Protein backbone atom coordinates (compact mmCIF):
# COMPACT_ATOMS: atom_id res chain seq x y z
CA UNK A 1 0.00 0.00 0.00
CA UNK A 2 1.18 3.50 -0.89
CA UNK A 3 0.22 6.48 1.22
CA UNK A 4 0.32 9.94 -0.31
CA UNK A 5 0.13 13.18 1.65
CA UNK A 6 -0.54 16.57 0.06
CA UNK A 7 0.56 19.27 2.47
CA UNK A 8 -1.26 22.43 1.48
CA UNK A 9 -1.38 25.84 3.06
CA UNK A 10 -4.85 25.21 4.49
CA UNK A 11 -5.47 21.43 4.21
CA UNK A 12 -3.51 18.25 4.65
CA UNK A 13 -4.95 15.53 2.46
CA UNK A 14 -3.94 11.89 2.72
CA UNK A 15 -4.86 8.93 0.52
CA UNK A 16 -3.92 5.30 0.32
CA UNK A 17 -3.53 3.55 -3.02
CA UNK A 18 -3.69 -0.17 -3.61
CA UNK A 19 -2.29 -0.24 -7.13
CA UNK A 20 -4.28 2.56 -8.81
CA UNK A 21 -7.28 2.09 -6.53
CA UNK A 22 -7.94 4.55 -3.73
CA UNK A 23 -8.68 2.69 -0.48
CA UNK A 24 -8.76 5.57 2.02
CA UNK A 25 -8.86 9.35 2.05
CA UNK A 26 -8.58 11.82 4.94
CA UNK A 27 -8.49 15.62 5.10
CA UNK A 28 -7.52 17.73 8.10
CA UNK A 29 -6.75 21.40 8.57
CA UNK A 30 -3.11 22.43 8.31
CA UNK A 31 -1.82 23.82 11.63
CA UNK A 32 -0.66 27.08 10.14
CA UNK A 33 2.50 28.67 11.50
CA UNK A 34 3.21 25.66 13.72
CA UNK A 35 5.92 23.33 12.43
CA UNK A 36 5.81 20.76 15.24
CA UNK A 37 2.03 20.52 14.99
CA UNK A 38 2.32 20.07 11.22
CA UNK A 39 4.57 17.02 11.72
CA UNK A 40 2.09 15.64 14.28
CA UNK A 41 -0.88 16.26 11.97
CA UNK A 42 0.79 14.32 9.15
CA UNK A 43 1.66 11.48 11.54
CA UNK A 44 -1.95 11.26 12.71
CA UNK A 45 -3.23 11.19 9.10
CA UNK A 46 -0.85 8.32 8.33
CA UNK A 47 -1.93 6.47 11.49
CA UNK A 48 -5.63 6.94 10.67
CA UNK A 49 -5.17 5.71 7.12
CA UNK A 50 -3.26 2.64 8.25
CA UNK A 51 -5.90 1.84 10.86
CA UNK A 52 -8.69 2.09 8.28
CA UNK A 53 -6.82 0.15 5.64
CA UNK A 54 -5.42 -2.40 8.09
CA UNK A 55 -1.98 -2.26 6.48
CA UNK A 56 1.29 -0.39 6.68
CA UNK A 57 2.23 1.78 3.73
CA UNK A 58 5.07 3.63 2.13
CA UNK A 59 4.77 7.40 2.63
CA UNK A 60 5.33 10.14 0.05
CA UNK A 61 4.62 13.81 0.72
CA UNK A 62 4.01 16.66 -1.70
CA UNK A 63 4.91 20.09 -0.35
CA UNK A 64 4.45 23.63 -1.69
CA UNK A 65 8.21 24.12 -1.99
CA UNK A 66 11.23 21.91 -2.35
CA UNK A 67 13.98 20.30 -0.28
CA UNK A 68 17.40 21.78 -0.89
CA UNK A 69 19.53 18.90 -2.21
CA UNK A 70 22.51 20.57 -0.53
CA UNK A 71 21.14 20.92 2.98
CA UNK A 72 17.97 18.79 3.07
CA UNK A 73 16.09 21.82 4.39
CA UNK A 74 12.84 23.17 2.95
CA UNK A 75 13.13 26.16 0.61
CA UNK A 76 10.89 28.09 -1.82
CA UNK A 77 7.80 27.25 0.26
CA UNK A 78 4.84 29.59 0.46
CA UNK A 79 3.94 27.80 3.71
CA UNK A 80 6.68 29.81 5.31
CA UNK A 81 6.75 27.99 8.66
CA UNK A 82 8.34 25.03 6.81
CA UNK A 83 11.25 27.05 5.45
CA UNK A 84 14.63 26.05 6.83
CA UNK A 85 13.26 22.98 8.63
CA UNK A 86 14.72 19.45 8.31
CA UNK A 87 11.26 18.25 7.28
CA UNK A 88 12.19 14.86 5.89
CA UNK A 89 14.46 13.90 8.79
CA UNK A 90 11.82 14.94 11.32
CA UNK A 91 9.04 13.09 9.52
CA UNK A 92 11.15 9.96 9.08
CA UNK A 93 11.97 9.95 12.79
CA UNK A 94 8.29 10.44 13.70
CA UNK A 95 7.02 7.74 11.29
CA UNK A 96 9.92 5.29 11.80
CA UNK A 97 10.41 4.76 8.08
CA UNK A 98 11.88 6.37 4.99
CA UNK A 99 9.78 9.19 3.56
CA UNK A 100 9.94 10.64 0.05
CA UNK A 101 9.19 14.30 -0.41
CA UNK A 102 8.68 16.29 -3.59
CA UNK A 103 7.41 19.62 -4.80
CA UNK A 104 3.64 19.54 -5.42
CA UNK A 105 4.00 20.22 -9.15
CA UNK A 106 6.43 17.31 -9.37
CA UNK A 107 3.83 15.13 -7.63
CA UNK A 108 1.28 16.22 -10.23
CA UNK A 109 3.61 15.10 -13.02
CA UNK A 110 4.36 11.79 -11.26
CA UNK A 111 0.66 11.05 -10.86
CA UNK A 112 -0.25 11.72 -14.47
CA UNK A 113 2.75 9.68 -15.65
CA UNK A 114 1.95 6.76 -13.35
CA UNK A 115 -1.70 6.13 -14.16
CA UNK A 116 -3.07 9.34 -15.63
CA UNK A 117 -3.18 11.13 -18.95
CA UNK A 118 0.51 10.42 -19.67
CA UNK A 119 0.51 6.79 -18.60
CA UNK A 120 3.16 4.81 -20.44
CA UNK A 121 5.00 7.86 -21.76
CA UNK A 122 8.77 7.96 -21.42
CA UNK A 123 9.28 11.68 -20.77
CA UNK A 124 6.48 13.75 -19.26
CA UNK A 125 6.34 17.50 -18.69
CA UNK A 126 3.53 18.19 -16.23
CA UNK A 127 2.38 21.80 -16.05
CA UNK A 128 -0.03 23.31 -13.54
CA UNK A 129 -1.55 26.58 -14.73
CA UNK A 130 -3.82 28.10 -12.11
CA UNK A 131 -3.21 30.94 -9.71
CA UNK A 132 0.48 30.47 -10.59
CA UNK A 133 2.44 28.16 -12.85
CA UNK A 134 4.36 25.13 -11.67
CA UNK A 135 5.84 22.25 -13.58
CA UNK A 136 7.58 18.95 -13.08
CA UNK A 137 9.52 16.48 -15.21
CA UNK A 138 9.15 12.71 -14.99
CA UNK A 139 11.47 10.39 -16.89
CA UNK A 140 10.56 6.70 -17.00
CA UNK A 141 8.37 7.04 -13.93
CA UNK A 142 10.90 8.94 -11.83
CA UNK A 143 10.72 12.59 -11.00
CA UNK A 144 13.70 14.70 -11.98
CA UNK A 145 14.84 17.14 -9.30
CA UNK A 146 18.38 18.27 -10.03
CA UNK A 147 21.15 19.72 -7.85
CA UNK A 148 19.17 22.91 -7.16
CA UNK A 149 15.84 21.16 -6.68
CA UNK A 150 14.22 23.29 -9.36
CA UNK A 151 13.94 21.03 -12.43
CA UNK A 152 10.86 22.04 -14.41
CA UNK A 153 10.51 25.56 -12.95
CA UNK A 154 10.02 27.00 -16.37
CA UNK A 155 7.33 29.46 -15.26
CA UNK A 156 10.00 31.91 -14.13
CA UNK A 157 11.81 31.98 -17.44
CA UNK A 158 10.84 34.95 -19.58
CA UNK A 159 8.12 34.56 -22.18
CA UNK A 160 10.06 33.51 -25.31
CA UNK A 161 9.80 35.17 -28.75
CA UNK A 162 8.18 38.13 -27.02
CA UNK A 163 6.58 40.89 -29.08
CA UNK A 164 7.42 44.52 -28.42
CA UNK A 165 4.34 45.09 -26.28
CA UNK A 166 5.16 42.00 -24.18
CA UNK A 167 8.46 43.45 -23.02
CA UNK A 168 9.56 44.03 -20.34
CA UNK A 169 6.26 42.48 -19.27
CA UNK A 170 4.27 42.46 -16.03
CA UNK A 171 6.06 42.31 -12.70
CA UNK A 172 6.32 38.86 -11.12
CA UNK A 173 6.39 38.13 -7.39
CA UNK A 174 9.82 36.53 -7.92
CA UNK A 175 11.30 39.96 -8.59
CA UNK A 176 11.69 39.70 -12.37
CA UNK A 177 9.46 41.00 -15.14
CA UNK A 178 7.81 39.17 -18.01
CA UNK A 179 7.98 35.68 -16.49
CA UNK A 180 5.89 33.05 -18.28
CA UNK A 181 3.79 32.87 -15.11
CA UNK A 182 2.73 36.51 -15.45
CA UNK A 183 1.10 35.67 -18.79
CA UNK A 184 -0.14 32.08 -18.38
CA UNK A 185 -1.55 32.06 -14.83
CA UNK A 186 -5.25 32.78 -14.35
CA UNK A 187 -4.55 36.22 -12.87
CA UNK A 188 -2.19 36.77 -15.82
CA UNK A 189 -5.00 36.19 -18.32
CA UNK A 190 -7.36 38.42 -16.35
CA UNK A 191 -4.80 41.25 -16.29
CA UNK A 192 -4.03 40.89 -20.01
CA UNK A 193 -7.73 40.96 -20.85
CA UNK A 194 -8.20 44.10 -18.77
CA UNK A 195 -5.22 45.80 -20.44
CA UNK A 196 -6.74 45.21 -23.88
CA UNK A 197 -10.48 45.56 -23.25
CA UNK A 198 -10.78 47.50 -19.99
CA UNK A 199 -12.95 44.68 -18.63
CA UNK A 200 -11.88 42.81 -15.52
CA UNK A 201 -13.12 39.23 -15.96
CA UNK A 202 -12.12 35.79 -14.76
CA UNK A 203 -10.75 33.23 -17.25
CA UNK A 204 -13.99 31.20 -17.05
CA UNK A 205 -15.96 34.35 -18.00
CA UNK A 206 -13.55 35.17 -20.83
CA UNK A 207 -13.79 31.61 -22.14
CA UNK A 208 -17.61 31.74 -22.06
CA UNK A 209 -17.70 35.16 -23.72
CA UNK A 210 -15.38 33.96 -26.49
CA UNK A 211 -17.60 30.93 -27.09
CA UNK A 212 -20.55 33.34 -27.39
CA UNK A 213 -18.69 35.28 -30.07
CA UNK A 214 -17.31 38.24 -28.10
CA UNK A 215 -14.46 39.65 -30.19
CA UNK A 216 -12.38 41.03 -27.30
CA UNK A 217 -12.57 37.77 -25.38
CA UNK A 218 -11.69 35.81 -28.48
CA UNK A 219 -8.61 37.96 -29.02
CA UNK A 220 -7.56 37.49 -25.39
CA UNK A 221 -7.86 33.73 -25.71
CA UNK A 222 -5.91 33.71 -28.95
CA UNK A 223 -3.11 35.81 -27.42
CA UNK A 224 -3.06 33.39 -24.48
CA UNK A 225 -2.88 30.35 -26.75
CA UNK A 226 -0.05 31.83 -28.78
CA UNK A 227 1.88 32.64 -25.60
CA UNK A 228 1.35 29.17 -24.18
CA UNK A 229 2.48 27.75 -27.52
CA UNK A 230 5.73 29.76 -27.41
CA UNK A 231 6.34 28.91 -23.75
CA UNK A 232 5.80 25.20 -24.33
CA UNK A 233 7.78 25.19 -27.59
CA UNK A 234 10.83 26.42 -25.67
CA UNK A 235 10.35 23.54 -23.21
CA UNK A 236 9.98 21.08 -26.10
CA UNK A 237 13.21 22.37 -27.63
CA UNK A 238 15.08 21.55 -24.40
CA UNK A 239 13.34 18.45 -23.10
CA UNK A 240 11.52 16.95 -26.10
CA UNK A 241 8.83 15.32 -23.95
CA UNK A 242 6.47 12.65 -25.27
CA UNK A 243 3.54 14.21 -23.45
CA UNK A 244 2.77 17.59 -21.88
CA UNK A 245 -0.02 17.31 -19.30
CA UNK A 246 -1.93 20.42 -18.25
CA UNK A 247 -3.51 20.73 -14.82
CA UNK A 248 -4.90 23.57 -12.73
CA UNK A 249 -7.86 25.83 -13.47
CA UNK A 250 -6.66 26.99 -16.89
CA UNK A 251 -6.48 23.37 -18.11
CA UNK A 252 -10.30 23.43 -18.31
CA UNK A 253 -10.22 25.67 -21.39
CA UNK A 254 -11.09 23.14 -24.08
CA UNK A 255 -9.66 25.12 -26.99
CA UNK A 256 -6.09 24.86 -25.72
CA UNK A 257 -5.61 21.25 -26.76
CA UNK A 258 -6.26 22.03 -30.41
CA UNK A 259 -5.02 25.59 -30.70
CA UNK A 260 -1.73 25.44 -28.77
CA UNK A 261 -0.20 22.54 -30.74
CA UNK A 262 -1.23 24.30 -33.94
CA UNK A 263 0.64 27.43 -32.87
CA UNK A 264 3.67 25.72 -31.31
CA UNK A 265 4.59 24.21 -34.68
CA UNK A 266 5.88 27.67 -35.64
CA UNK A 267 8.45 27.59 -32.81
CA UNK A 268 9.55 23.99 -32.28
CA UNK A 269 12.90 23.51 -33.99
CA UNK A 270 12.56 21.77 -37.34
CA UNK A 271 8.78 21.45 -37.19
CA UNK A 272 6.28 21.77 -39.99
CA UNK A 273 4.76 25.23 -39.75
CA UNK A 274 1.16 25.41 -38.67
CA UNK A 275 0.05 26.75 -42.04
CA UNK A 276 1.58 23.72 -43.75
CA UNK A 277 0.29 21.21 -41.23
CA UNK A 278 -1.92 18.56 -42.75
CA UNK A 279 -4.65 16.44 -41.27
CA UNK A 280 -2.65 13.24 -41.78
CA UNK A 281 -1.16 13.65 -38.35
CA UNK A 282 -0.65 10.04 -37.37
CA UNK A 283 0.37 8.61 -40.68
CA UNK A 284 3.72 10.32 -41.05
CA UNK A 285 6.64 8.28 -39.74
CA UNK A 286 9.60 9.93 -38.10
CA UNK A 287 12.69 10.56 -40.19
CA UNK A 288 11.05 10.86 -43.57
CA UNK A 289 13.34 12.22 -46.22
CA UNK A 290 16.75 13.80 -45.90
CA UNK A 291 18.28 17.21 -46.06
CA UNK A 292 16.36 18.99 -43.31
CA UNK A 293 12.81 18.07 -44.21
CA UNK A 294 10.63 19.38 -41.41
CA UNK A 295 8.17 17.18 -39.61
CA UNK A 296 5.08 17.54 -37.52
CA UNK A 297 5.62 17.80 -33.75
CA UNK A 298 4.96 14.47 -32.09
CA UNK A 299 4.66 15.78 -28.54
CA UNK A 300 1.05 15.47 -27.33
CA UNK A 301 -0.75 18.09 -25.24
CA UNK A 302 -3.36 16.53 -22.95
CA UNK A 303 -5.52 17.46 -19.98
CA UNK A 304 -4.80 15.93 -16.57
CA UNK A 305 -6.87 12.85 -15.79
CA UNK A 306 -6.98 13.01 -12.00
CA UNK A 307 -7.79 16.71 -11.64
CA UNK A 308 -7.30 18.06 -8.13
CA UNK A 309 -6.37 14.59 -6.85
CA UNK A 310 -3.20 14.45 -8.96
CA UNK A 311 -1.06 16.03 -6.26
CA UNK A 312 -1.94 13.61 -3.48
CA UNK A 313 -1.91 10.60 -5.81
CA UNK A 314 1.51 11.63 -7.11
CA UNK A 315 2.83 11.84 -3.55
CA UNK A 316 1.81 8.21 -3.11
CA UNK A 317 3.52 7.32 -6.39
CA UNK A 318 6.83 8.75 -5.17
CA UNK A 319 7.39 5.12 -4.21
CA UNK A 320 6.98 3.56 -7.66
CA UNK A 321 6.45 -0.13 -8.32
CA UNK A 322 9.81 -1.81 -8.56
ZN1 LIG B 1 8.81 35.11 -11.90
Amino acid sequence: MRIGIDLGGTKIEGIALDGSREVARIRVDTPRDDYAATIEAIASVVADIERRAGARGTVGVGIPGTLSPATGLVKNANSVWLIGQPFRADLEARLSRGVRIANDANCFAVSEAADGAAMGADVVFGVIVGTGTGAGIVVQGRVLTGPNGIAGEWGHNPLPWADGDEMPGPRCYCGKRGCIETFLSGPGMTADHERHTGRRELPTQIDAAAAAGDAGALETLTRYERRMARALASAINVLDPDVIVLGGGMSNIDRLYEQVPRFWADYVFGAVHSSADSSTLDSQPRGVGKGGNSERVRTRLVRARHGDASGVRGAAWLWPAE
Side-chain angles (χ1 to χ4, degrees):
M1 182 174 80
R2 297 183 179 91
I3 296 171
I5 304 286
D6 185 23
L7 173 56
T10 56
K11 294 280 177 198
I12 296 172
E13 184 162 32
I15 63 160
L17 295 181
D18 175 10
S20 285
R21 194 169 58 89
E22 185 181 316
V23 293
R25 181 184 289 242
I26 293 176
R27 285 183 105 181
V28 300
D29 288 339
T30 303
R32 291 184 65 84
D33 303 316
D34 190 337
Y35 177 68
T38 299
I39 296 285
E40 280 310 307
I42 293 170
S44 74
V45 167
V46 170
D48 276 1
I49 284 175
E50 294 189 329
R51 200 160 41 238
R52 285 189 203 181
R56 186 177 164 93
T58 58
V59 176
V61 184
I63 62 170
T66 188
L67 292 183
S68 160
T71 64
L73 306 180
V74 176
K75 66 172 187 174
N76 297 350
N78 55 18
S79 299
V80 290
W81 64 97
L82 299 175
I83 290 175
Q85 298 287 353
F87 183 62
R88 177 164 52 207
D90 289 343
L91 207 51
E92 287 183 335
R94 181 63 182 77
L95 295 173
S96 308
R97 75 194 83 177
V99 173
R100 291 186 179 170
I101 293 169
N103 171 263
D104 44 17
N106 288 357
C107 290
F108 165 79
V110 168
S111 166
E112 293 298 326
D115 64 354
M119 188 167 68
D122 222 28
V123 178
V124 178
F125 189 48
V127 178
I128 299 175
V129 270
T131 53
T133 56
I137 298 167
V138 173
V139 179
Q140 293 172 348
R142 297 201 175 258
V143 66
L144 197 69
T145 50
N148 304 295
I150 56 166
E153 290 297 347
W154 125 118
H156 297 280
N157 284 349
L159 183 72
W161 297 284
D163 293 336
D165 70 346
E166 293 167 338
M167 294 186 291
R171 278 192 195 287
C172 184
Y173 76 90
C174 76
K176 303 279 198 295
R177 296 187 71 150
C179 291
I180 286 169
E181 173 164 320
T182 67
F183 291 102
L184 296 193
S185 65
M189 178 191 275
T190 293
D192 179 68
H193 186 61
E194 188 173 18
R195 279 194 296 274
H196 283 83
T197 65
R199 301 189 329 241
R200 186 155 190 85
E201 294 174 315
L202 296 172
T204 48
Q205 297 170 313
I206 297 167
D207 190 24
D214 180 88
L218 203 54
E219 284 168 14
T220 296
L221 269 191
T222 304
R223 278 193 307 279
Y224 183 89
E225 289 156 359
R226 288 184 176 279
R227 287 167 179 158
M228 180 177 275
R230 284 180 266 151
L232 292 178
S234 74
I236 292 171
N237 284 346
V238 174
L239 187 64
D240 201 0
D242 297 271
V243 180
I244 297 174
V245 188
L246 292 186
M250 304 300 278
S251 71
N252 294 319
I253 300 174
D254 289 331
R255 297 166 38 119
L256 299 180
Y257 303 93
E258 191 175 327
Q259 293 286 90
V260 171
R262 180 187 298 172
F263 292 140
W264 77 24
D266 289 337
Y267 301 95
V268 172
F269 181 59
V272 180
H273 290 278
S274 54
S275 52
D277 216 349
S278 74
S279 57
T280 57
L281 289 184
D282 285 314
S283 60
Q284 213 170 349
R286 190 161 202 147
V288 174
K290 290 179 180 173
N293 285 359
S294 53
E295 302 186 316
R296 72 173 184 88
V297 179
R298 298 175 69 97
T299 299
R300 291 186 294 128
L301 181 68
V302 298
R303 186 194 314 237
R305 176 177 170 194
H306 295 299
D308 291 341
S310 279
V312 72
R313 291 179 68 93
W317 283 111
L318 291 176
W319 295 87
E322 296 300 336

